[in-house]
C-alpha cells in the first residue's frame, strides 16, 4: 500500500476493514485483504491440482495466456463488496475500529429483507470501474455477475442499485478505501493495475456458470478458520503467506483432481480390451471408434439391446474423450438408487486400473450410500467387502457430520441465511494422502469429486434455478457425463435433462446417453438440445439421419458454427442373434393377483425360474402372499420399494447371486421373484419365464430384457424358448382392454392402449384367449424388433381398433404431457427465450427455488411427494430397531453398529400417507446427538406392530415389507 502511494489515513482505514469476525472465525479477526488473498491463493492451488486441462486451456484463451493469474484474481476479488457499511456494521465489535479510522455511516436499514448484500455490493462498486478502465462494457458485462452471484443467485443489473444511500458508503473516505481494496489486491496478486486485468475474450455463459461455481469452491475452502486462522494485523498479510496457507490447507483437506492430463491410449481399443478386460463386441467398438473420430467434444447416443455391454463401452469412450479433450473425471448418472450401487462398484474397479489411489476419489451420490459396503469401506474406513481390511487408514473422524456441513464455513454469511462455521477441532480427518476428501461430502459438493456415480437427479439439479446451482454445474464441467437408461426420464424430468444438455453443450462437456429403448423423437430432442447449447441458439433443429440398424450410435457436435448430426452408417451386429420371444395374454385386472399366482405355479411345475413384474406394490404383496399360502416349495422372493433398506439390499443381492451372470450351479431348480418396476432395468438377472403387467412398450421391452439374458444358462427342457405372459389387463366393453387402475394412474391410458395393440398383433385378441394363457403367439424377435416396436408405439399412426377410443386417449395424454412440461418451466435454469443471453446477469430472475435437498428432489420429479421414515418398535423396555436391536428408553444410540442396524430399517412411505407422516413423524428424543438420525422421521410401531398414519393402519412384515390397510 505504501509503494502504491496510498496516504497513511487510507492505509489505516483499509487495514481496519474486516472480512471474518472473531466471533465467527475461531476467535480471531481476519482482515478483508487477508481473506481476498487467501481465496486467490486457494484458486492458484486449484489451478495446479484440480482444474481440468480443458478448462485451464479456456481460461488461458480468454485471458491472453494468463489463465492462472486471471483465475486467482476473479476468485479473490469476489468479496470486495465487504468494504461497505452494510457489511462492516454487522458485528459491533469489529465495526468499532473501522469507525474509529474514519469510515463512518449513518443509520442503516433494520429490515433483513432490505439488507444490502456484500456480494451485490461488490458488483455495484466494481462494475463502473471495469467499464471505465477496461473501456469495454461487454467485457465488464460478463465479469460483474461472477462477483454478484457468489452467494448462490445472480441478480439483474437493476439489483445493483442500493435502496438506501448509506449501505454502500458515502464520501471520499469510503470511495478511497473501496478503490484501494481492489487496487491493492490486484497488485498483490500479480497484475500491474485493474486495467491490466482486462480479459482478451469472453467465456460462454455455461463456462461462466462453471467458473462461478469454482469461485464459490475457493471461497468456501478459504473461509475455514481451521486452515486459515485469522490475521488481524494487515502488516502480516502477504500473498506468499497466503500461498503457504492454501497449500497446507489443500494437503490437510486431501483435495485433488482426477486423471490430471490423462495420456492417450496406446491403441484405439485398449480402453475396452486392456482397461476393462473385455472381448470387444461390435456395438462397443462402434461407440469407442466414434469417440476417437469426434473433432470436438460432442453428444453420443448409444442404442443397443439389454445386456449388450453399453455401460462398459461408455466408460471406454469416456477414457478416449477425456484424454483427447483434456477432461479430468466422469459422472455416471443412473435412474435410481438401486441401480447406482452396482454401477459405483463397477466404476471403482475401472478407476483403480488407472491408479489405485484414485479409488478414494470416487463418490456415490444418493441418500442411502451408507448401506453400500464399498462406499463405507473407502469413505468411512470400515471393513472392505473383499475382507482386505479398512480402506484408507481410518474413518471420517468422531466429529464428522455431513448433515451439519451444509454451506461450508462462511462466517458472516449466516446473516444471509447460512449457518456459522463449526468450532475448530470439531473434526479430525487425519492426514493420510490416499484417504478421501470429506470436504466433498458437504451439501451440493458431491459432483466436485473427480469421479462420481449417482442418481440422475444430480444432473437434473444442475439445470434448476436454485441457489448455488453454479456449484453443482462446476462439478460437471471438466468431466465426461454418462447417462444410463436415459429413456427412464418421464416428460417432466426430461425438461430438466434437455436443459442440462443445453448447458453442457455450451460448456463443451462430452455427454454419452445410453438406452435400449429410446423413441426416435426423444433422440432427436436430445440432439437438438445439445446443439442449441453448442451454437448458443434456442431454435436449433438438426435432423438425425435414420440409423442403418440396431445397435447404433448417434453423434452431434458443432464445427465452424454449423450443427452436425450423424448416425451409424452401417448396420452393427448385436453380440447375440435375435430370437423369437413368445407372448401370450394372461387376462387379469384384479389387484389380488390370484390368477397370476396360479400361472406362476403352473410355469414352474417342472422347474424353472420365473420373474413376475407388476405395477403396484399391493399387487406384488398379494401375489407373494397367494404363493406362500398355497405352499410353494421353491425359492420365493419379493422385491419392491416398500422394503426397508436392509431387506431391499439383501434381496437384491440374493437375486443377483442366484439369477445373475455368475450364478452357475447356484441357480435354483425352482425359483420365483415377484417384483415391481425395480426389476425393470439395470437388474442383471436371467429368467426362464416372464409374467408382467402391461406397461408402455419401451418398458415392456425392458422387462423382456431380463428374459434368457445370459449365455450358457442351464434351463429345464420346457423353458428352452423364452416366453412372456402379459397380464394386468382384461377384456372390457366393446372389446377394449380394461387396465388395472394403478397402471392407468402411473402410465396413462394412451401408452397402455398402444402397447396392448402391439401385443395383440402377436398374441391375438384378449377376448380370444378364452382364459387359455398357455397358447403362445408368434412372438417378437428380440433384439431386432426393439427399435421398430418403440418407434411404432410412440409414432403418430393409429394402432388400435376404433372401439378402443385411441384418439380420445391420445388427446388426454397430450394435454397432460403439455401440462407437466409447463409445470417444469418454472423451475428450469433459463427460460427458452433467454437462452441466447451472453451473461449470467438476471439468471435467478424470480428468485431461487428449493431450500432443502428434499425440496430439490421434489423439483425435478413430478410424482406424488413421498418421505422416508425409520421403523422402530415401542416395547415395554423402550425402543427397538426393525430387527429387534434394543436402542434405549428414549431411542439413545451410542454405537456405530447399532446406528447401521437402525438405519437399515429406513423405508419410503407411499404418497398417500405423506401428509400424515410430515405432520406426525419426528425423530426420537435420543437421536438429537446423532448426525445420521437427528433429522430422520421415526415410524413408531406400537406393541401390536402397527401405527396409524392418517386413515391408514401401517405395519411392517419381515417378508411383505410395509403393509397398509385403509381404515
Amino acid at each position: 500500500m505504501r509503494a502504491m502511494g496510498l496516504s497513511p489515513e487510507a492505509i489505516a482505514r483499509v487495514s481496519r476493514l474486516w472480512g471474518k469476525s472473531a466471533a465467527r472465525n475461531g476467535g480471531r479477526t481476519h482482515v478483508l485483504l487477508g481473506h481476498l488473498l487467501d481465496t486467490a491463493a486457494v484458486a492458484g492451488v486449484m489451478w495446479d491440482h484440480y482444474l481440468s486441462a480443458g478448462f485451464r486451456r479456456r481460461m488461458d484463451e480468454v485471458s491472453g495466456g494468463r489463465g492462472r493469474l486471471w483465475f486467482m484474481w476473479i476468485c479473490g476479488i469476489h468479496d470486495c463488496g465487504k468494504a461497505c457499511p452494510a457489511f462492516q456494521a454487522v458485528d459491533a465489535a469489529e465495526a468499532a475500529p473501522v469507525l474509529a479510522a474514519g469510515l463512518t455511516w449513518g443509520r442503516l436499514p433494520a429490515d433483513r429483507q432490505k439488507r444490502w448484500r456484500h456480494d451485490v455490493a461488490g458488483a455495484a462498486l466494481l462494475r463502473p470501474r471495469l467499464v471505465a478502465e477496461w473501456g469495454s462494457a461487454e467485457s465488464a458485462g460478463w465479469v460483474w455477475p461472477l462477483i454478484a452471484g457468489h452467494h448462490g443467485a445472480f441478480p439483474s443489473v437493476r439489483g445493483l442499485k442500493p435502496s438506501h444511500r448509506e449501505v454502500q458508503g458515502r464520501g471520499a473516505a469510503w470511495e478511497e478505501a473501496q478503490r484501494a481494496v481492489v487496487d491493492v489486491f490486484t497488485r498483490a496478486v500479480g497484475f500491474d493495475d485493474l486495467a491490466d486485468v482486462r480479459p482478451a475474450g469472453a467465456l460462454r455463459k455455461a463456462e461462466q456458470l462453471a467458473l462461478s461455481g469454482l469461485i464459490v469452491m475457493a471461497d468456501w475452502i478459504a473461509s475455514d478458520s481451521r486452515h486459515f486462522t485469522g490475521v488481524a494485523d494487515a502488516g502480516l498479510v502477504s500473498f506468499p503467506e497466503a500461498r503457504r496457507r492454501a497449500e497446507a490447507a489443500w494437503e490437510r483437506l486431501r483435495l485433488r483432481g482426477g486423471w490430471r492430463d490423462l495420456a492417450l491410449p496406446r491403441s484405439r481399443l485398449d480402453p475396452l480390451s486392456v482397461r476393462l478386460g473385455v472381448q470387444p463386441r461390435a456395438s462397443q467398438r462402434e461407440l469407442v471408434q466414434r469417440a476417437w473420430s469426434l473433432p470436438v467434444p460432442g453428444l453420443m447416443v448409444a442404442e443397443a439391446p439389454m445386456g449388450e455391454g453399453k455401460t462398459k463401452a461408455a466408460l471406454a469412450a469416456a477414457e478416449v474423450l477425456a484424454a483427447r479433450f483434456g477432461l479430468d473425471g466422469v459422472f455416471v448418472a443412473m435412474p435410481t438408487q438401486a441401480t447406482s450401487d452396482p454401477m459405483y462398484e463397477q466404476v471403482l474397479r475401472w478407476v483403480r486400473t488407472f491408479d489405485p489411489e484414485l479409488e478414494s476419489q470416487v463418490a456415490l451420490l444418493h441418500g442411502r450410500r451408507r448401506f453400500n459396503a464399498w462406499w463405507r469401506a473407502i469413505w468411512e474406513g470400515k471393513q472392505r467387502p473383499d475382507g482386505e481390511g479398512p480402506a484408507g487408514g481410518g474413518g471420517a473422524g468422531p466429529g464428522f457430520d455431513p448433515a451439519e456441513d451444509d454451506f461450508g464455513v462462511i462466517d458472516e454469511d449466516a446473516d444471509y441465511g447460512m449457518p456459522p462455521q463449526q468450532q475448530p477441532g470439531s473434526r479430525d480427518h487425519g492426514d493420510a494422502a490416499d484417504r478421501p476428501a470429506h470436504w466433498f461430502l458437504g451439501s451440493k459438493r458431491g459432483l466436485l469429486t473427480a469421479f462420481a456415480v449417482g442418481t440422475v437427479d444430480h444432473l437434473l439439479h444442475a439445470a434448476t434455478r436454485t441457489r448455488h446451482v453454479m456449484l453443482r454445474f462446476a462439478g460437471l464441467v471438466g468431466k465426461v457425463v454418462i447417462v444410463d437408461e436415459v429413456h427412464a426420464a418421464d416428460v417432466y424430468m426430461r425438461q430438466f435433462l434437455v436443459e442440462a444438455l443445453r448447458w453442457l453443450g455450451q460448456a463443451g462437456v462430452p455427454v454419452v446417453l445410453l438406452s435400449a429403448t429410446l423413441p426416435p423423437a426423444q433422440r432427436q430432442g436430445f440432439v437438438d438440445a445439445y446443439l442449441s447449447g453448442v451454437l448458443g441458439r434456442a431454435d436449433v433443429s438438426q435432423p438425425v439421419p435414420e440409423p442403418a440398424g440396431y445397435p447404433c450410435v448417434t453423434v452431434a457436435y458443432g464445427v465452424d458454427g454449423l450443427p452436425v448430426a450423424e448416425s451409424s452408417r452401417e448396420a452393427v451386429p448385436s453380440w447375440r442373434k435375435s430370437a423369437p420371444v413368445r407372448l401370450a395374454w394372461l387376462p387379469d385386472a384384479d389387484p389380488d393377483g390370484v390368477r397370476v399366482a396360479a400361472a406362476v405355479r403352473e410355469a414352474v411345475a417342472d422347474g424353472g425360474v420365473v420373474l413376475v413384474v407388476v405395477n403396484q406394490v399391493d399387487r406384488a404383496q398379494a401375489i407373494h402372499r397367494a404363493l406362500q399360502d398355497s405352499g410353494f416349495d421353491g425359492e420365493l422372493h419379493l422385491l419392491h420399494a416398500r422394503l426397508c433398506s436392509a431387506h431391499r439390499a439383501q434381496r437384491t443381492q440374493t437375486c443377483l447371486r442366484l439369477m445373475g451372470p455368475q450364478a452357475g450351479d447356484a441357480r435354483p431348480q425352482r425359483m420365483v421373484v415377484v417384483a415391481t418396476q425395480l426389476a425393470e432395468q439395470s437388474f442383471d438377472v436371467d429368467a426362464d419365464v416372464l409374467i408382467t403387467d402391461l406397461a408402455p412398450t419401451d418398458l415392456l421391452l425392458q422387462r423382456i430384457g431380463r428374459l434368457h439374458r445370459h449365455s450358457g444358462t442351464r434351463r429345464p427342457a420346457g423353458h428352452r424358448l423364452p416366453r412372456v405372459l402379459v397380464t394386468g389387463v382384461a377384456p372390457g366393453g366393446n372389446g377394449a382392454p380394461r387396465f388395472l387402475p394403478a397402471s392407468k394412474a402411473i402410465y396413462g391410458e394412451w401408452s397402455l392402449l398402444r402397447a396392448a395393440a402391439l401385443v395383440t398383433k402377436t398374441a391375438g385378441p384378449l377376448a380370444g384367449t378364452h382364459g387359455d394363457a398357455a397358447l403362445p403367439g408368434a412372438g417378437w424377435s428380440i433384439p431386432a424388433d426393439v427399435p421398430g416396436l418403440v418407434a411404432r408405439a410412440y409414432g403418430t399412426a393409429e394402432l388400435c381398433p376404433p372401439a378402443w377410443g385411441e384418439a380420445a386417449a391420445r388427446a388426454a395424454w397430450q394435454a397432460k404431457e403439455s401440462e407437466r412440461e409447463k409445470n417444469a418451466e418454472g423451475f428450469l435454469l433459463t427460460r427458452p427465450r433467454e437462452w441466447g443471453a451472453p451473461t449470467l446477469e438476471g439468471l435467478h430472475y424470480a428468485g431461487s427455488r428449493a431450500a432443502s435437498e428434499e425440496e430439490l428432489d421434489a423439483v425435478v420429479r413430478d410424482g406424488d411427494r413421498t418421505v422416508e421414515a425409520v421403523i422402530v418398535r415401542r416395547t415395554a423396555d423402550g425402543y427397538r430397531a426393525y430387527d429387534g436391536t434394543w436402542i434405549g428408553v428414549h431411542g439413545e444410540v451410542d454405537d456405530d453398529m447399532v446406528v447401521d442396524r437402525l438405519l437399515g430399517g429406513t423405508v419410503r412411505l407411499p404418497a398417500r400417507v405423506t401428509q400424515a407422516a410430515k405432520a406426525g413423524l419426528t425423530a426420537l428424543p435420543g437421536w438429537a446427538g446423532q448426525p445420521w438420525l437427528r433429522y430422520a422421521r421415526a415410524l413408531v410401531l406400537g406393541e401390536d406392530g402397527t401405527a396409524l398414519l392418517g386413515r391408514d393402519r401401517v405395519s411392517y412384515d419381515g417378508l411383505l415389507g410395509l403393509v397398509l390397510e385403509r381404515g
Side-chain angles (χ1 to χ4, degrees):
M1 288 191 281
R2 292 192 188 98
M4 292 173 64
L6 268 67
S7 68
E9 294 81 10
I11 293 174
R13 290 165 183 160
V14 172
S15 299
R16 293 291 184 271
L17 292 172
W18 60 276
K20 304 290 177 184
S21 69
R24 296 177 179 270
N25 195 55
R28 300 185 64 174
T29 302
H30 196 31
V31 296
L32 177 56
L33 280 173
H35 175 59
L36 301 189
L37 291 173
D38 284 345
T39 309
V42 170
V45 179
M46 289 169 59
W47 179 279
D48 296 337
H49 302 292
Y50 181 79
L51 267 62
S52 69
F55 196 81
R56 296 197 306 270
R57 185 163 54 246
R58 282 293 293 137
M59 292 296 296
D60 276 332
E61 290 170 357
V62 300
S63 63
R66 299 184 295 178
R68 187 177 188 274
L69 184 59
W70 205 91
F71 181 64
M72 290 192 297
W73 181 85
I74 192 63
C75 287
I77 201 67
H78 76 286
D79 260 354
C80 66
K82 286 185 175 179
C84 74
F87 182 84
Q88 294 296 311
V90 166
D91 186 294
E94 304 291 355
V98 178
L99 291 165
L103 291 173
T104 60
W105 51 83
R107 186 173 181 176
L108 300 175
D111 186 353
R112 291 180 62 88
Q113 299 300 318
K114 296 180 180 180
R115 180 168 291 175
W116 187 233
R117 299 171 55 100
H118 73 260
D119 48 358
V120 179
L125 74 87
L126 198 59
R127 178 173 173 266
R129 288 199 61 188
L130 296 182
V131 173
E133 298 187 39
W134 289 357
S136 169
E138 182 180 349
S139 295
W142 72 267
V143 172
W144 73 257
L146 300 175
I147 289 89
H150 81 263
H151 277 304
F154 298 98
S156 68
V157 69
R158 295 187 301 274
L160 301 189
K161 185 176 181 180
S163 58
H164 193 284
R165 292 188 301 171
E166 290 291 334
V167 293
Q168 184 74 355
R170 288 195 297 160
W174 271 111
E175 182 180 348
E176 182 182 38
Q178 290 168 347
R179 289 185 66 89
V181 166
V182 174
D183 292 342
V184 171
F185 165 76
T186 300
R187 178 79 70 86
V189 169
F191 285 104
D192 293 340
D193 50 32
L194 189 59
D196 190 32
V197 181
R198 177 180 173 175
L203 293 176
R204 308 188 78 189
K205 183 166 66 174
E207 295 168 328
Q208 296 167 30
L209 188 65
L211 175 56
S212 176
L214 295 170
I215 294 170
V216 174
M217 179 178 175
D219 182 24
W220 287 9
I221 293 171
S223 296
D224 189 340
S225 66
R226 292 169 301 167
H227 308 294
F228 295 86
T229 55
V231 178
D233 183 353
L236 300 178
V237 171
S238 71
F239 197 42
E241 175 61 17
R243 284 199 297 264
R244 185 197 65 77
R245 288 151 60 95
E247 289 164 358
W250 189 267
E251 185 175 347
R252 284 197 64 199
L253 289 169
R254 298 184 306 282
L255 300 172
R256 61 163 290 172
W259 282 308
R260 309 304 296 157
D261 304 315
L262 181 66
L264 284 169
R266 286 179 295 180
S267 74
R268 290 191 164 237
L269 294 180
D270 270 7
L272 280 169
S273 57
V274 177
R275 180 81 59 202
L276 289 163
V278 300
Q279 183 66 37
R281 296 167 177 168
S283 62
Q284 294 174 322
R285 288 196 300 270
E286 173 78 358
L287 185 62
V288 173
Q289 294 286 12
R290 282 286 183 168
W292 279 106
S293 67
L294 281 175
V296 292
L299 173 72
M300 308 179 73
V301 185
E303 299 171 65
M306 296 70 74
E308 185 76 15
K310 294 185 291 295
T311 306
K312 287 187 176 180
L315 293 176
E319 178 182 351
V320 174
L321 294 168
R324 293 187 62 220
F325 300 121
L327 304 165
D328 204 39
V330 171
F331 172 55
V332 183
M334 303 298 294
T336 63
Q337 292 181 356
T339 56
S340 297
D341 281 2
M343 180 55 61
Y344 171 67
E345 294 162 27
Q346 182 173 339
V347 171
L348 272 180
R349 291 191 295 271
W350 177 63
V351 164
R352 284 191 208 112
T353 65
F354 294 96
D355 181 351
E357 287 191 5
L358 286 178
E359 178 185 71
S360 63
Q361 307 303 314
V362 185
L364 177 60
L365 306 181
H366 67 65
R368 296 188 181 186
R369 64 189 177 196
R370 183 180 174 89
F371 303 106
N372 183 283
W374 275 107
W375 186 85
R376 296 206 62 189
I378 293 167
W379 288 82
E380 294 186 2
K382 304 298 182 184
Q383 184 72 24
R384 285 177 174 269
D386 57 15
E388 291 187 6
F400 175 62
D401 182 355
E404 185 174 287
D405 189 28
D406 190 8
F407 294 98
V409 283
I410 315 295
D411 58 32
E412 315 311 319
D413 303 330
D415 291 306
Y416 302 99
M418 299 180 182
Q421 77 158 66
Q422 295 173 296
Q423 292 302 310
S426 62
R427 302 180 209 164
D428 179 13
H429 302 322
D431 296 315
D434 60 341
R435 296 228 345 263
H438 288 93
W439 188 89
F440 289 126
L441 296 183
S443 177
K444 307 176 185 178
R445 305 179 200 169
L447 285 174
L448 293 170
T449 49
F451 306 94
V453 179
T455 55
V456 71
D457 302 58
H458 291 272
L459 173 61
L460 307 184
H461 292 167
T464 57
R465 196 179 68 257
T466 49
R467 199 171 188 86
H468 291 109
V469 65
M470 71 286 288
L471 200 63
R472 302 179 193 278
F473 191 74
L476 296 172
V477 174
K479 289 183 174 67
V480 179
V481 174
I482 299 170
V483 186
D484 203 2
E485 312 283 8
V486 69
H487 57 270
D490 62 21
V491 67
Y492 181 88
M493 295 172 66
R494 225 165 25 245
Q495 307 311 303
F496 298 97
L497 179 56
V498 163
E499 178 76 354
L501 288 174
R502 289 193 193 101
W503 285 85
L504 293 173
Q506 188 172 85
V509 176
V511 179
V512 184
L513 306 180
L514 308 177
S515 178
T517 55
L518 189 65
Q522 288 187 30
R523 181 203 304 137
Q524 183 68 59
F526 295 150
V527 165
D528 288 343
Y530 191 87
L531 290 175
S532 290
V534 170
L535 302 180
R537 302 200 311 264
D539 58 349
V540 174
S541 179
Q542 180 66 23
V544 177
E546 186 68 26
Y550 178 76
C552 64
V553 175
T554 298
V555 297
Y557 54 91
V559 175
D560 297 328
L562 298 176
V564 179
E566 302 168 343
S567 290
S568 298
R569 301 181 185 87
E570 298 178 1
V572 179
S574 175
W575 73 277
R576 60 179 177 183
K577 294 181 179 179
S578 290
V581 175
R582 297 183 178 181
L583 280 76
W585 289 114
L586 175 61
D588 176 42
D590 295 326
D592 62 17
V594 171
R595 183 127 196 259
V596 175
V600 169
R601 288 193 297 271
E602 182 181 345
V604 294
D606 297 322
V609 176
V610 174
L611 174 63
V612 181
V613 183
V614 295
N615 298 337
Q616 185 181 21
V617 174
D618 292 344
R619 180 166 159 88
Q621 290 173 329
I623 293 168
H624 184 277
R625 189 184 291 114
L627 288 168
Q628 193 178 33
D629 292 347
S630 67
F632 180 77
D633 62 351
E635 289 259 5
L636 179 59
H637 300 279
L638 177 64
L639 188 60
H640 58 71
R642 279 193 227 157
L643 294 170
C644 69
S645 297
H647 289 161
R648 181 167 159 180
Q650 291 164 5
R651 294 185 195 181
T652 300
Q653 288 300 318
T654 297
C655 291
L656 292 172
R657 177 173 56 83
L658 298 177
M659 301 170 63
Q662 309 300 323
D665 293 337
R667 184 179 176 89
Q669 290 187 337
R670 182 180 287 106
M671 178 177 176
V672 175
V673 177
V674 182
T676 55
Q677 292 91 333
L678 293 181
E680 193 168 83
Q681 54 200 3
S682 298
F683 189 52
D684 194 8
V685 297
D686 183 326
D688 298 323
V689 178
L690 172 69
I691 300 178
T692 174
D693 279 347
L694 185 70
T697 305
D698 54 332
L699 303 183
L700 191 61
L701 289 165
Q702 287 287 340
R703 297 177 187 185
I704 292 174
R706 314 306 121 191
L707 190 62
H708 287 228
R709 183 181 178 94
H710 304 139
S711 59
T713 301
R714 290 180 296 179
R715 310 181 195 280
H719 298 312
R720 295 289 170 81
L721 297 177
R723 186 162 62 101
V724 180
L725 298 181
V726 182
T727 187
V729 58
N734 298 322
R738 176 170 56 89
F739 305 117
L740 284 164
S743 299
K744 285 182 64 175
I746 296 168
Y747 302 118
E749 187 177 22
W750 179 72
S751 61
L752 293 175
L753 286 172
R754 306 275 288 186
L758 291 172
V759 173
T760 296
K761 292 183 183 299
T762 183
L766 261 169
T769 61
H770 302 295
D772 184 1
L775 182 63
W780 288 340
S781 182
I782 304 295
D785 287 349
V786 168
L789 288 167
V790 174
R792 292 172 66 193
Y794 290 96
T796 56
E798 289 198 6
L799 295 177
C800 305
W804 288 18
E806 179 184 0
R810 181 185 181 91
W813 173 79
Q814 288 178 325
K816 187 173 182 179
E817 295 285 278
S818 297
E819 181 184 1
R820 296 182 72 195
E821 287 182 13
K822 188 174 182 180
N823 289 342
E825 285 181 7
F827 297 97
L828 293 176
L829 189 50
T830 50
R831 292 175 286 199
R833 63 181 178 275
E834 296 175 353
W835 173 246
T839 77
L840 297 171
E841 188 252 322
L843 188 68
H844 289 80
Y845 59 89
S848 55
R849 305 290 188 94
S852 68
E853 290 294 311
E854 186 176 78
E855 290 172 340
L856 189 55
D857 288 338
V859 163
V860 299
R861 290 185 182 265
D862 192 34
D864 294 328
R865 307 294 183 248
T866 61
V867 297
E868 288 186 333
V870 179
I871 299 168
V872 295
R873 302 183 188 277
R874 183 188 291 114
T875 62
D877 59 351
Y879 294 97
R880 293 184 179 273
Y882 78 101
D883 64 350
T885 301
W886 189 68
I887 57 171
V889 176
H890 302 291
E892 302 91 339
V893 183
D894 57 5
D895 181 270
D896 198 43
M897 185 175 296
V898 176
V899 172
D900 284 349
R901 290 183 178 179
L902 187 58
L903 287 172
T906 303
V907 65
R908 183 158 293 279
L909 303 176
R912 76 190 201 206
V913 300
T914 295
Q915 187 173 353
K918 285 185 173 182
L921 302 186
T922 60
L924 294 181
W927 294 357
Q930 278 290 339
W932 288 98
L933 292 170
R934 65 180 176 212
Y935 300 118
R937 293 182 173 90
L939 176 58
V940 181
L941 304 180
E943 294 188 12
D944 65 347
T946 71
L948 192 62
L949 282 178
R951 295 175 54 195
D952 288 278
R953 179 67 59 179
V954 182
S955 61
Y956 190 85
D957 182 277
L959 287 175
L960 297 177
L962 195 74
V963 178
L964 278 73
E965 295 181 11
R966 179 68 76 181

